[in-house]
Amino acid sequence: MKEELIARVIQVMRINTSWMTWNLFLAFIPLALSVWLFRYKRGGSWLWWLGFLVFYAFLPNAPYLLTDVIHLIDDIRTIQSVWMITLVLIPLYLLVILSGFEAYVISLINWGYYLHRIGKSQWIWRVELITHILCAVGVYWGRFLRFNSWDFITQPDALLTKGVEEILGKQPLVIIAITFMVLAGLYWIMKRVTLGLSRPDTRIGIKSESTNSNTPNI
């Protein structure tokens, strides 16, 4: 019985390692781009704008990991061991999902840092809300319509037709609205946790945040 359970766990872990690694790789692409775009570069060149478009095309991959919790349900049914689920499966999923969402949070913090650097701090909260909306649509496209980030290049006609038509229905709009609220709520919490854990000597405008919450702290 123990051997059979261990074999099931190993099988599930092998399957999960494949898609988890790939999804985390996609989630960290916008994070890497955000460092290059918003920390070390100044906008204006065609290369910067190209990187900016790629950044937004891949950004939904980071919060998309939240929806991978559906795989956890299937894995729980497969393993059927409270100890293995509690000590192995759930911690693994939490690590992967939180890592992906943290990549989303830091990416937007870097975006806010850039806006602050060019004197557009008042736009930070607007940009964050717009980004949450766009990513909510992107998550819906990815989870339900199975579109990928590179489909903007490989099949833009399908995105403009099927993608737009689908999100205009009542049920998709409800799902997107719920996704937006989840993203906005989790982002608000994790942004403050991330900024709170950042080193004091790397913070910018810490005093002004008490009067203007749009000013980034790192």
Side-chain angles (χ1 to χ4, degrees), residues 128-137 174-186:
E128 289 176 343
L129 286 180
I130 293 172
T131 301
H132 296 330
I133 294 172
L134 293 176
C135 284
V137 173
V174 172
I175 295 174
I176 291 172
I178 294 173
T179 304
F180 164 76
M181 289 186 289
V182 171
L183 293 184
L186 285 179

Side-chain angles (χ1 to χ4, degrees), residues 115 121-130 212-214:
L115 291 171
S121 296
Q122 69 276 13
W123 281 94
I124 293 177
W125 71 271
R126 296 181 180 91
V127 168
E128 289 176 343
L129 286 180
I130 293 172
N212 183 3
S213 59
N214 296 329

